[in-house]
Amino acid sequence: EDAPQRHHRNMAEDKKTKLMGLGLPEEVAAAAVATDAPDGFKDSTTRTSTFYSLKVNNDAKPEWKDHFLAYTKGAKASKGHVNVSHSYNENTKEVMCVECMTGKDAMLNHIGNCLPDYAAMCGAGVVMKEIVCVCDPAEADWWKASLAAWQAERMIITPNHCP
């Protein structure tokens, strides 16, 4: 193993440990980190679209917005993300997010890149309210299990009936 390979392996282990420290099961953390490898990412046959909203509590700490911006930067940098549109509505104190990604590996890569900032955002007083996901019918159970980790008050996973 040469120095660059060793460095990549050490970074991957550090990232996996950090994700597990946030409560992610080891197998999910390992899968998320594996998508960072050049040969560890594969697009699904169909795209998945998600809409989700978060509520900024009245007593939220001001740094929530820094974590939101870092979270958005991580989402935009994630592999397989075709579109990432995030916005904050000052009037309703809601974060609105619409994303289109290329499947399960894209979500795993998103988890690896975004979970630390998401956890920090929640710790600063932001709550996941709703997730709506339109996905490949064959992947619906996987998406339901994966998106449950974000602890939305309301979650709808529905298969794409119009491919």
Side-chain angles (χ1 to χ4, degrees):
E1 180 178 70
D2 63 14
Q5 289 172 324
R6 190 170 39 259
H7 176 73
H8 177 72
R9 185 175 44 77
N10 290 339
M11 286 184 56
E13 280 301 314
D14 289 348
K15 187 173 186 177
K16 179 181 162 188
T17 300
K18 183 176 186 177
L19 292 170
M20 290 170 52
L22 293 169
L24 207 58
E26 183 175 3
E27 63 275 7
V28 178
V33 170
T35 63
D36 288 334
D39 61 348
F41 182 88
K42 182 176 177 245
D43 289 328
S44 293
T45 56
T46 60
R47 293 190 172 163
T48 298
S49 296
T50 59
F51 161 80
Y52 53 101
S53 65
L54 303 98
K55 183 71 173 174
V56 179
N57 293 329
N58 289 332
D59 61 350
K61 298 173 188 162
E63 62 266 21
W64 80 264
K65 203 173 260 186
D66 295 331
H67 300 303
F68 169 56
L69 294 174
Y71 172 87
T72 298
K73 184 177 179 181
K76 288 185 176 196
S78 293
K79 292 179 182 179
H81 282 56
V82 177
N83 184 58
V84 175
S85 298
H86 292 178
S87 179
Y88 174 59
N89 183 319
E90 294 274 350
N91 295 327
T92 63
K93 292 190 173 189
E94 289 177 291
V95 173
M96 310 302 275
C97 303
V98 178
E99 298 176 7
C100 180
M101 57 188 86
T102 61
K104 297 186 299 184
D105 279 4
M107 185 62 200
L108 288 167
N109 197 255
H110 177 101
I111 290 167
N113 291 337
C114 299
L115 184 61
D117 291 307
Y118 175 76
M121 195 169 45
C122 290
V126 178
V127 178
M128 179 67 78
K129 298 301 276 183
E130 177 177 39
I131 300 174
V132 177
C133 173
V134 179
C135 62
D136 184 318
E139 296 179 352
D141 289 340
W142 185 93
W143 281 98
K144 184 176 183 179
S146 178
L147 294 175
W150 301 91
Q151 302 177 344
E153 292 179 10
R154 179 175 186 243
M155 187 172 77
I156 300 169
I157 310 301
T158 186
N160 183 353
H161 293 288
C162 306

